[in-house]
Amino acid sequence: MSITKNNTRMLEGNLTTSQLPTIPNSKLENSSVTINGSAVALGGSTTIATGGTNSPVFSATTTTGQSISSDTMTLVSYPTENFDPDGVFTNTASNYKFTVPSGKAGTYSLTAKIFVNANGASQLQNYFVEIRKNGTAVATTGHNFNSNDNYWAVPEINTLQVLAVGDDIQVFAQVSDGSGNPTIGYGGNGTYSEFSGFKLT
């Protein structure tokens, strides 16, 4: 049923699907809309993508203690990958690094956590932990104890970094231990260490 109001014909009542107006794909194929800052093309086989997948993503940890020299900044080994679906983390000896792959430049969230331990009782004096980009520190944490009354600590760093394709990210640690033989990476009750990251934008 229809009525006329102000010279405009209006429809009232329930319409069936066949009565609804349609816009042919040919009128939409070269058009687009913007959702959350991303252009979405319209057409017969439209796929609407919203947001990213935070890829690449990785997480690696330790399963054994790593003996290091006291007062010496040392590359932290993370030999066990929890997950690395894009193959961006290298867990071989002397590397232990995340490398930004082709087409994945952007802003990344990076986290490094490391167990530091004085093998001598109450001998932990201080520690420093760094996240390095291409060999240069971009995030650092540390602590200097007033007295040698600590056995171990678990410092953690979180940082946001704008990374280019090919940038390498590694974790370094330095421990001052009165016994002269500190250990990093693994505690008596299991691992406390992890190096992880993912792409934000």
Side-chain angles (χ1 to χ4, degrees), residues 21 70 87 91 93 95 127 160 165 185 192 199:
S70 186
N91 64 341
N95 284 314
Y127 62 78
L160 298 179
V165 172
Y192 295 94
K199 186 174 183 290

Side-chain angles (χ1 to χ4, degrees), residues 51-64:
T53 59
N54 298 121
S55 174
V57 59
F58 73 94
S59 171
T61 189
T62 59
T63 54
T64 58

Side-chain angles (χ1 to χ4, degrees), residues 20-31 42-46:
L20 294 175
T22 61
I23 302 175
N25 285 341
S26 60
K27 298 296 185 182
L28 299 174
E29 287 176 352
N30 296 319
S31 301
L42 302 176
S45 57
T46 300

Side-chain angles (χ1 to χ4, degrees), residues 1 20 24 27 56 63 89 114 119 124 131 136 141 151 192 198:
M1 179 179 69
L20 294 175
K27 298 296 185 182
T63 54
F89 184 76
I114 178 71
N119 285 324
L124 182 60
I131 293 178
T136 301
T141 189
Y151 291 89
Y192 295 94
F198 60 90

